[in-house]
Amino acid sequence: KDICTSCNVLADLILDTPGYNAVDATIDALWAGTPVVTFLGQTIATRISASLCTAAGCPELITDSLDDYKNLATSLAVDEVKLHTYRQKLKMSRVGPHQAPLFESIKTLRHLEAGYQAIWGRKLDRKAPTDMIILDKAPLGKNEQAAIIM
């Protein structure tokens, strides 16, 4: 894993495959600060990298046509300043004062835990499953405050 992530630091740009997204390789590249150009397809297998780019704070790397995919990839390949701007944006999204959701592992874990607590609390109270939203600033351990039940 460390070797793969290290290789992504050496890459200037990653072109995600339009037919089936790279997923783990996309995550590794974004963590390494390497921009990933992706195409937003119609199936879950072709939409995952778009979600990851959005969660990394770079939705501009998502294209919705193959022409746009080619044009963005070409422009990043030939425009060193533009490429550097995205590399810096990814770096700040990872280590800056306002981390992007993809890089906030602790917060993501707390949201997951709060969700599990809310689900378990509903189960213990014999309530039906429902949609819920986990709040960013919810105190942990209090199901009624950790989630908004829809």
Side-chain angles (χ1 to χ4, degrees):
K1 179 89 175 164
D2 290 339
I3 292 171
C4 289
T5 303
S6 297
C7 289
N8 282 312
V9 173
L10 298 174
D12 291 322
L13 179 64
I14 302 293
L15 302 179
D16 194 31
T17 54
Y20 193 89
N21 291 169
V23 187
D24 288 346
T26 298
I27 293 170
D28 290 345
L30 294 170
W31 267 93
T34 304
V36 177
V37 175
T38 190
F39 171 73
L40 183 63
Q42 297 299 313
T43 65
I44 188 71
T46 60
R47 299 177 75 83
I48 296 171
S49 288
S51 295
L52 294 169
C53 286
T54 300
C58 288
E60 312 88 356
L61 295 172
I62 304 165
T63 63
D64 52 12
S65 76
L66 291 177
D67 283 339
D68 289 345
Y69 177 87
K70 177 184 167 188
N71 292 337
L72 179 58
T74 303
S75 73
L76 289 171
V78 299
D79 187 342
E80 191 174 315
V81 173
K82 187 174 183 179
L83 181 64
H84 180 72
T85 300
Y86 278 107
R87 291 184 78 86
Q88 286 303 112
K89 184 174 182 180
L90 283 168
K91 179 180 178 182
M92 292 309 294
S93 291
R94 187 173 31 89
V95 299
H98 303 290
Q99 285 184 306
L102 181 66
F103 307 118
E104 290 187 304
S105 302
I106 301 290
K107 187 176 183 179
T108 300
L109 177 61
R110 288 189 178 145
H111 282 178
L112 183 62
E113 289 171 340
Y116 286 155
Q117 289 174 354
I119 291 166
W120 186 246
R122 289 186 66 78
K123 170 74 172 157
L124 293 177
D125 293 339
R126 299 180 195 269
K127 293 181 179 176
T130 188
D131 294 336
M132 61 183 71
I133 298 171
I134 305 302
L135 302 173
D136 281 346
K137 297 180 180 178
L140 297 177
K142 300 194 184 220
N143 294 334
E144 65 281 355
Q145 294 178 1
I148 298 174
I149 307 302
M150 305 299 276

